[in-house]
Amino acid sequence: GSEMCIRDSYTLVSYANYIRLDKSVVQHYKINTMKVFNSTFLLRFAISIILLAHSIPGMFNNGINDFGNFYLNEIGFAPLGVPIAWSIKLSHLASAICLIFEKYVKWASMVTILVLIAGIVWVHFKEGWFVVGGGRNGVEFNFILIFALLTILFPDGLKKV
């Protein structure tokens, strides 16, 4: 009698621990899923699409090599124009993935902001403000992307420390 009771109690405890563990795994999954789909998800998703659209085609149509050879090398980055161009586009690709999955978001945002600022300085500033309409290839697109990334970095705004 008492041996059976002890074994049944052990089985019951083991089963309860299994259920608890199973609920823990489900809760962990829910927390991680909720983290990805938080209040910045739509903005992260939109920026990721822009970064992917701005990088992937150039990987297959020689656009990155052309940017490195015919622009970066010409403005003084020779012979490093092509490696710099590839670094920029690969950073866009990596940042897009990080933003979508809410991983390394601070690093991805900061690297992308630095790339965008460099783009303003070396490519877009001399073209003026407007991307289309009143001009061509200006800084306005980089400007809004920088502030969108800052909004992701500081979703509660800038607070006093």
Side-chain angles (χ1 to χ4, degrees), residues 47 50 113 116 140-150:
I47 292 171
I50 290 168
I113 288 169
L116 293 169
E140 69 179 334
F141 191 64
N142 284 35
F143 180 84
I144 192 66
L145 284 175
I146 289 167
F147 278 87
L149 288 164
L150 287 171

Side-chain angles (χ1 to χ4, degrees), residues 17-35:
N17 285 335
Y18 173 76
I19 296 293
R20 194 173 305 120
L21 175 65
D22 190 46
K23 286 181 181 179
S24 172
V25 169
V26 170
Q27 186 65 24
H28 176 74
Y29 175 76
K30 284 181 182 177
I31 289 170
N32 286 340
T33 304
M34 288 171 36
K35 184 178 179 191

